[in-house]
Amino acid sequence: MVTSDWEFTPVVQQSTPGLIAQQLRESLISGKITAGSQLSEAALAKAFGVSRGPLREAMQRLLQEGLLRSERNRGIFVKELTQDDIADIYDARSAIESAALRMVVSRGASADLSKLRQACANLAKAAASGERQSVSDADLSFHAALVNASGSPRLVRMQATLLAETRMCITALEATQDDVATVVDEHRLILEALESGSLETALERLQDHMQDGVMRLQRAEEV
Amino acid sequence: MVTSDWEFTPVVQQSTPGLIAQQLRESLISGKITAGSQLSEAALAKAFGVSRGPLREAMQRLLQEGLLRSERNRGIFVKELTQDDIADIYDARSAIESAALRMVVSRGASADLSKLRQACANLAKAAASGERQSVSDADLSFHAALVNASGSPRLVRMQATLLAETRMCITALEATQDDVATVVDEHRLILEALESGSLETALERLQDHMQDGVMRLQRAEEV
DNA sequence: TACCTGTAGATTGTTGACACTGCGAGATTC
DNA sequence: GAATCTCGCAGTGTCAACAATCTACAGGTA
């Protein structure tokens, strides 16, 4: 019997709570929902055109990702990020991404850096366009590509939630990339160190880049 | 009116899904529920004496912690861990705990190592008792204390899920700590390096300890 | 006999309704 | 006038029933 020769892509029916969580996450990290405000289950359910069951499941996910905060019998609120949170997010990101660097380098030649080069090019393009939003998107895409290259599903998952929090910080504070050229350079330097296989240099540059990020955000918070 | 002078401990009403998740997690990591088996919502709901709503929320949490696996319209199954998973878990743990080491050392004298010393003593005591279960419990408690000492809530949270997975591995494979004395020593050496403030030594010893752990589990898997 | 098709049972996904909790506005008392 | 109490409302927590989906098995056909 011929079962193939057609090569259809298998249908992947996304679950309703998954779709809702995705849309909610977008709204949260883009700042469409202001920090600290309460999310009414009934209102959201009506907006999404579903009942409260699936909506609650979506909220559960975002709760565990740390984007929301729950008070029993009171409701669910958008988490507000303090200075300490910002520092902690970047500490955790450093931990994950440093480990990813080590893993990529330890693979040596078998590592696939093409996605990283692509991400770096996209960042340069975004910087040239001048749009702040697309610059920070490309920035975080680079970091995501870095951890992807490590091939560790758990590192990828943990970083995903950290990147969502990072996006929340950036949009909430409307942090300006005062010097776009520097940011692009920092990423390119990391990639170059990676390509030449010099782990220590790459780690150092990543660390510096992270520290820059924290300082930029914390300066924005003070205003 | 006098509101104080009584000093009662405030009542912390745990949420129902939270309590269910806790019990389920215990059953999963202790191996009471065999890997790969399906978890029937109706059956579990009856067992816990609640309806399927709260139970589904509890499952959601464990799903996101990576202890369960969901197939849409099919059901939820206990995740079975492959060799690759074991390696990945330990890679991720190394990433988190190495970062924690760095943070503890960078604090210098202000770091609170008393909990770590306590955990180390407990481990030695457990080793003397000879019970395998309490040895691995004390082992993981030490690592938890290490990350706690870092003071980073996000590292703590990420490690918590990794430790749950580690426990699942250990009980599923009934991994034997063939040489208990060595395990105790490895932990003590890490603590000593930490106390003397020599970061590089501590990192090296942690790395070795982790590698030992992976090898022990992967050898058990082959059987 | 081998294969396909249709149906039955079981399980998950979703819904609307009910119960309980916490907050705030208004009434009441000193 | 200020503090306290009570009631109502808005919201979450929980439940039982309904709808949709999948698997397995029985029946029919070439």
Side-chain angles (χ1 to χ4, degrees), chain B residues 140-151:
Chain B
L140 297 187
S141 290
F142 176 87
H143 291 273
L146 169 61
V147 175
N148 258 315
S150 78

Side-chain angles (χ1 to χ4, degrees), chain B residues 16-17 49-52 54 73-74:
Chain B
T16 310
V50 296
S51 83
R52 284 172 49 214
N73 286 323
R74 287 282 317 279

Side-chain angles (χ1 to χ4, degrees), chain B:
Chain B
M1 197 210 295
V2 180
T3 60
S4 141
D5 291 358
W6 276 272
E7 290 300 338
F8 290 121
T9 56
V11 174
V12 279
Q13 182 92 294
Q14 266 262 38
S15 74
T16 310
L19 292 170
I20 295 174
Q22 206 171 315
Q23 283 198 52
L24 265 180
R25 199 182 295 116
E26 289 289 327
S27 292
L28 286 171
I29 65 184
S30 71
K32 275 179 194 157
I33 308 177
T34 52
S37 62
Q38 181 170 10
L39 299 180
S40 159
E41 287 185 3
L44 279 177
K46 200 155 71 175
F48 279 110
V50 296
S51 83
R52 284 172 49 214
L55 189 111
R56 280 175 68 94
E57 278 190 25
M59 300 266 244
Q60 274 296 319
R61 298 196 195 182
L62 300 179
L63 270 173
Q64 216 153 30
E65 288 177 20
L67 269 54
L68 301 178
R69 173 176 53 83
S70 166
E71 291 180 27
R72 188 177 154 82
N73 286 323
R74 287 282 317 279
I76 290 177
F77 303 82
V78 182
K79 198 167 186 179
E80 11 204 359
L81 296 165
T82 65
Q83 290 246 8
D84 286 347
D85 281 316
I86 296 174
D88 191 43
I89 290 169
Y90 273 80
D91 280 343
R93 277 188 58 192
S94 281
I96 304 289
E97 300 189 18
S98 299
L101 269 185
R102 286 174 212 278
M103 290 172 74
V104 172
V105 170
S106 76
R107 291 199 178 176
S110 71
D112 180 20
L113 298 180
S114 60
K115 292 266 176 60
L116 268 174
R117 294 196 192 93
Q118 182 68 44
C120 207
N122 287 343
L123 178 56
K125 211 180 300 174
S129 82
E131 294 173 41
R132 274 217 313 252
Q133 175 72 30
S134 52
V135 172
S136 57
D137 277 356
D139 183 338
L140 297 187
S141 290
F142 176 87
H143 291 273
L146 169 61
V147 175
N148 258 315
S150 78
S152 162
R154 280 165 186 81
L155 286 188
V156 169
R157 202 179 54 186
M158 296 191 290
Q159 193 210 24
T161 84
L162 292 174
L163 288 186
E165 287 187 289
T166 306
R167 275 208 175 84
M168 260 184 85
C169 287
I170 292 175
T171 55
L173 302 176
E174 288 188 349
T176 60
Q177 305 267 27
D178 5 68
D179 191 354
V180 182
T182 309
V183 174
V184 177
D185 271 350
E186 284 181 352
H187 287 91
R188 203 185 44 235
L189 284 173
I190 294 172
L191 178 56
E192 281 172 7
L194 209 48
E195 283 174 327
S196 69
S198 51
L199 175 60
E200 291 308 322
T201 314
L203 284 172
E204 217 169 287
R205 288 174 178 172
L206 176 68
Q207 216 62 254
D208 289 347
H209 174 52
M210 287 296 190
Q211 212 145 16
D212 275 14
V214 181
M215 274 176 45
R216 198 162 50 237
L217 284 176
Q218 295 198 328
R219 212 167 46 225
E221 170 107 339
E222 282 167 12
V223 180

